[in-house]
Amino acid sequence: MYLSRVEIDSNNRAKTRDLTHLGAYHNWVEQSFPAEIAAHERLRHLWRIDQLGGRRYLLVLSEEKPDVEKLATYGVQGTIMTKPYDHLLDQLHEGQLLQFRLTANPTHTITVPGRKQGRVVPHITVEQQRQWLIDRAERAGFSLIQNVAAENPDGAPTWSFDIVGREWPTLHRRAGRGVRLSRVTFEGLLRINDVAAFKETLTQGLGREKAYGMGLMTVIPEA
């Protein structure tokens, strides 16, 4: 697998005028794999948008290398980086402590009277969104770290992760109106409990709306 990054040319409005909704970003990512399009074999590509140091980046995880020219369509010239991802996956082990970043779409299903299937709705509050990740950690192969906060008189534990971004980007446009998705970015520390399950989380994503920039978790070893 490969992890690729390109800086989005946000200062060039003429170049990026089409990037007004998540569907446009999805199309950018898909068009960056022309060989798959030609073969009518569309593989899953996890991606997200990161904001670092006042700049915006498109991050893509894929089984094959993206086409450099296609990936540069809305990017700043000379900023594309593609690195093998398998080496990182091979180095993971049980008990390992990692720093993580995850952009996801926290949702839950509510019962609708008269319908067999429930309705999927977003979690709204920070606490609901944090609990969404806590509830999924074990099955996803990791545990979130709890610390005993010395400043808390009751010694209540605190989590070593937080929400660093909450947005409602437009999914696509219909008749002039935009359908929006909840996009939440988490950062913090985790510990691997189940290597196989954790590798699946990293390569297959976590949560819903993976085609639209959700679910990609990246990690680096804790120093």
Side-chain angles (χ1 to χ4, degrees):
M1 301 195 73
Y2 298 89
L3 187 64
S4 305
R5 191 182 81 166
V6 59
E7 182 184 346
I8 301 169
D9 199 353
S10 301
N11 293 325
N12 189 336
R13 294 187 178 182
K15 185 177 182 179
T16 59
R17 64 180 180 273
D18 296 331
L19 299 180
T20 59
H21 54 93
L22 295 178
Y25 284 93
H26 167 75
N27 186 62
W28 178 14
V29 171
E30 294 301 295
Q31 293 299 317
S32 296
F33 298 89
E36 294 178 16
I37 296 174
H40 302 286
E41 182 182 7
R42 308 305 289 271
L43 303 176
R44 169 169 287 174
H45 310 123
L46 294 176
W47 62 273
R48 73 169 186 243
I49 299 168
D50 278 351
Q51 298 192 34
L52 302 169
R55 299 179 180 181
R56 300 171 70 239
Y57 296 88
L58 174 69
L59 199 65
V60 182
L61 180 65
S62 57
E63 292 190 19
E64 302 296 334
K65 289 184 179 180
D67 182 279
V68 174
E69 291 186 4
K70 296 292 186 180
L71 191 60
T73 300
Y74 302 105
V76 176
Q77 186 175 4
T79 64
I80 293 177
M81 297 176 59
T82 296
K83 296 182 178 181
Y85 200 63
D86 292 324
H87 178 71
L88 180 143
L89 296 176
D90 291 341
Q91 297 299 311
L92 298 177
H93 58 83
E94 186 175 332
Q96 187 174 10
L97 192 64
L98 301 168
Q99 297 180 35
F100 76 91
R101 183 180 179 92
L102 165 69
T103 294
N105 173 235
T107 61
H108 65 292
T109 303
I110 61 174
T111 301
V112 179
R115 295 186 182 180
K116 293 182 179 180
Q117 294 185 336
R119 183 160 62 95
V120 177
V121 296
H123 284 301
I124 301 298
T125 70
V126 169
E127 285 307 311
Q128 289 172 341
Q129 293 165 350
R130 286 167 59 87
Q131 190 63 46
W132 175 88
L133 182 58
I134 292 168
D135 291 344
R136 281 155 183 75
E138 182 178 357
R139 181 175 293 183
F142 63 92
S143 59
L144 294 161
I145 311 302
Q146 281 189 302
N147 297 320
V148 176
E151 64 273 15
N152 287 0
D154 58 0
T158 59
W159 294 99
S160 292
F161 81 95
D162 210 345
I163 290 174
V164 297
R166 303 172 73 223
E167 304 170 282
W168 289 87
T170 301
L171 174 60
H172 50 68
R173 299 190 181 280
R174 293 177 179 172
R177 299 182 62 185
V179 177
R180 296 183 179 274
L181 290 179
S182 171
R183 181 168 66 192
V184 179
T185 299
F186 305 86
E187 285 186 357
L189 296 176
L190 60 77
R191 179 174 284 107
I192 300 175
N193 291 340
D194 183 325
V195 174
F198 188 63
K199 285 183 178 180
E200 183 173 355
T201 296
L202 294 182
T203 58
Q204 301 300 312
L206 186 64
R208 300 174 61 88
E209 305 297 349
K210 297 181 182 70
Y212 296 102
M214 317 291 183
L216 174 58
M217 174 185 281
T218 54
V219 296
I220 58 174
E222 171 68 354

